[in-house]
DNA sequence: ACAAAAGTGTTCGTTCTACACCCATGC
DNA sequence: GCATGGGTGTAGAACGAACACTTTTGT
């Protein structure tokens, strides 16, 4: 791995799939491209490494805060997959490292940096309908959504979609929306509350959803679920 | 993601964690570095992208066949994670895409290309003892082994450690060796043979392990396991 | 006959599923 | 009171763990 000659110089980019739940839909943050190629098309937020000294994770976090204008608190960020097809960018050879970010429902993103506009778009609308995204971003998005769906089964990332305090119902609706299937209210309640260190009761209650007041929880320290909360794959 | 100015040129490498089972141990293929930096140290096989037109997966496959001298049949190859810490290579900025490859027990690897020697080394020896590997390769190896262990639970990659035909015992020993824990022979047998399209009986039998002849199987088409074969995490 | 490994059956406890039922609030 | 959502109880099915037992070979 050492020959100094003939090492192609490559540009390395970081692309983010930023997911949230708004209006009871799984939505992804997209930017409208201001320049060629794919000018005017929608694309994932992202960009090239800013300097020789920037780590990949740092670059992903920087892009995220630049585009959303938000502090990095209560944020889930994970590297997904690296895409390196030779002509995925028509200008030059670009390798893109895809990241998955998950946020609670937030105010409108602030357009910033090289993005002329940033907005939330329902995922099903992006994947099922035209126009497709710029570059291979539709593929990256599809991979990210599939990863998120699996992560709900085995990990506690569902809480990353929720604000600091949330009810079991809020959490359940995350599962239902991301998976696109309904879940038995009562069994779900028992399952999530019985996992050690998953949900910490705050002692407070809320009636924001109507009906009997629901207990409020905050995320616990556990990051993996044993046993898993499995999707019904027969449906 | 578009400013043409100030895009750092980066070298992109592919590093492989090639695993197999030899002498009842999980072993990894390492090469001894012939040049600086880390000359004489052990490292993962890998190298830079060969040309502007080479895809990442293609590069990984090329490196693998170059180092092992083997055809790409009956091979599991999967992208793992991308490592981009600023000074992970002292010479220049290098981003490395890590791959996991799994092979059945094979003849000694053929040293080739830029590797002065390639050999199998037990994983526990590499991770637990000195000397450490070159670059951040110890970290990449540890990540890969952890990934392989999890993949055994949810997917059928265990068969990638086995030759074309194998017994249920052979498969079980893969699980026991990779996980480092023993498994009940009888429950395992029932579990794996009851998963649809996991193991296809060839009709043949073998007595190579002594005792009653065991049925021989080949891999089926299934790639995921429902339900999973879970490790006993309490041990 | 005996050792050794393959493979089957059975029991028991845990977990999942479906659903009946009660609880606490707003109107 | 009644609608609405929160939360508990419980019976049956499905599954996994443990282990007794039978089968089929080599020596």
């Amino acid at each position: 791995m050492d020959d100094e000659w003939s090492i192609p110089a490559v540009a390395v980019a970081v692309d983010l799939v930023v997911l949230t739940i708004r209006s009871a839909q799984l939505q992804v943050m997209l930017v409208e491209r201001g320049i060629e190629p794919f000018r005017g098309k929608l694309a994932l937020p992202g960009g090239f490494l800013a300097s020789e000294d920037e780590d990949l994770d740092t670059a992903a976090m920087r892009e995220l805060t630049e585009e959303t204008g938000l502090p990095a608190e209560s944020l889930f960020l994970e590297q997904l997959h690296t895409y390196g097809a030779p002509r995925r960018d028509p200008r030059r050879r670009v390798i893109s490292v895809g990241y998955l970010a998950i946020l609670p429902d937030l105010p409108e993103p602030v357009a910033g940096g090289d993005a002329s506009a940033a907005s939330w778009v329902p995922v099903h609308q992006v994947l099922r309908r035209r126009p497709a995204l710029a570059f291979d971003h539709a593929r990256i998005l599809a991979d990210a959504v599939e990863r998120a769906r699996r992560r709900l089964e085995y990990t506690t990332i569902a809480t990353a979609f929720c604000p600091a305090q949330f009810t079991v119902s809020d959490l359940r609706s995350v599962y239902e929306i991301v998976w696109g299937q309904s879940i038995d209210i009562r069994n779900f309640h028992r399952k999530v509350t019985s996992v050690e260190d998953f949900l910490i009761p705050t002692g407070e209650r809320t009636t924001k959803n109507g009906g009997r007041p629901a207990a409020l929880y905050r995320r616990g320290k556990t990051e993996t679920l044993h046993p898993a909360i499995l999707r019904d794959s027969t449906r």
Side-chain angles (χ1 to χ4, degrees), chain A:
Chain A
M1 62 169 289
D2 301 297
D3 315 63
E4 296 278 339
W5 45 269
S6 80
I7 300 173
V10 175
V12 173
V14 166
D15 285 317
L16 280 84
V17 177
V18 187
L19 298 178
T20 196
I21 289 175
R22 288 166 58 89
S23 313
Q25 289 178 314
L26 183 64
Q27 305 208 8
V28 59
M29 201 174 79
L30 298 179
V31 297
E32 192 184 322
R33 287 182 57 79
I35 68 164
E36 294 295 342
F38 297 105
R39 181 173 189 150
K41 280 246 181 192
L42 290 174
L44 297 174
F48 293 105
L49 292 185
S51 79
E52 286 284 342
D53 281 342
E54 193 176 42
D55 193 7
L56 292 174
D57 291 2
T58 312
M61 187 67 86
R62 174 182 54 76
E63 291 289 345
L64 184 64
T65 53
E66 277 180 18
E67 308 264 8
T68 63
L70 283 158
E73 67 180 30
S74 82
L75 166 71
F76 174 86
L77 185 67
E78 177 186 71
Q79 193 194 113
L80 276 178
H81 192 84
T82 299
Y83 300 84
R87 261 164 278 282
R88 52 180 300 282
D89 188 318
R91 292 168 293 182
R92 70 169 76 182
R93 186 69 194 274
V94 177
I95 302 280
S96 174
V97 183
Y99 276 80
L100 169 63
I102 294 176
L103 299 171
D105 191 0
L106 294 167
E108 285 293 324
V110 179
D114 44 15
S116 52
S119 59
W120 294 109
V121 183
V123 166
H124 68 89
Q125 211 174 91
V126 182
L127 291 181
R128 300 266 162 88
R129 296 176 195 175
R130 310 279 94 190
L133 300 181
F135 306 105
D136 53 0
H137 287 186
R139 170 68 186 285
I140 299 177
L141 172 60
D143 289 352
V145 170
E146 185 50 38
R147 181 81 138 254
R149 288 187 173 136
R150 303 204 134 223
R151 281 276 184 280
L152 286 196
E153 297 188 306
Y154 305 114
T155 76
T156 60
I157 61 156
T159 59
F161 285 104
C162 298
Q165 292 208 344
F166 55 91
T167 68
V168 172
S169 268
D170 295 337
L171 188 67
R172 181 172 49 84
S173 81
V174 169
Y175 277 86
E176 292 185 328
I177 289 165
V178 176
W179 283 350
Q181 66 183 215
S182 58
I183 297 173
D184 187 281
I185 306 179
R186 300 151 293 186
N187 293 335
F188 181 84
H189 188 281
R190 196 183 358 245
K191 214 182 295 193
V192 295
T193 52
S194 68
V195 174
E196 193 116 2
D197 264 326
F198 181 17
L199 304 180
I200 316 268
T202 63
E204 295 177 62
R205 298 181 166 273
T206 179
T207 56
K208 70 173 154 60
N209 297 331
R212 171 174 166 179
L216 283 167
Y217 297 86
R218 57 183 176 78
R219 325 176 217 295
K221 286 171 194 162
T222 305
E223 298 196 333
T224 56
L225 290 177
H226 292 289
I229 301 175
L230 294 174
R231 281 179 280 186
D232 183 349
S233 51
T234 62
R235 289 190 241 186

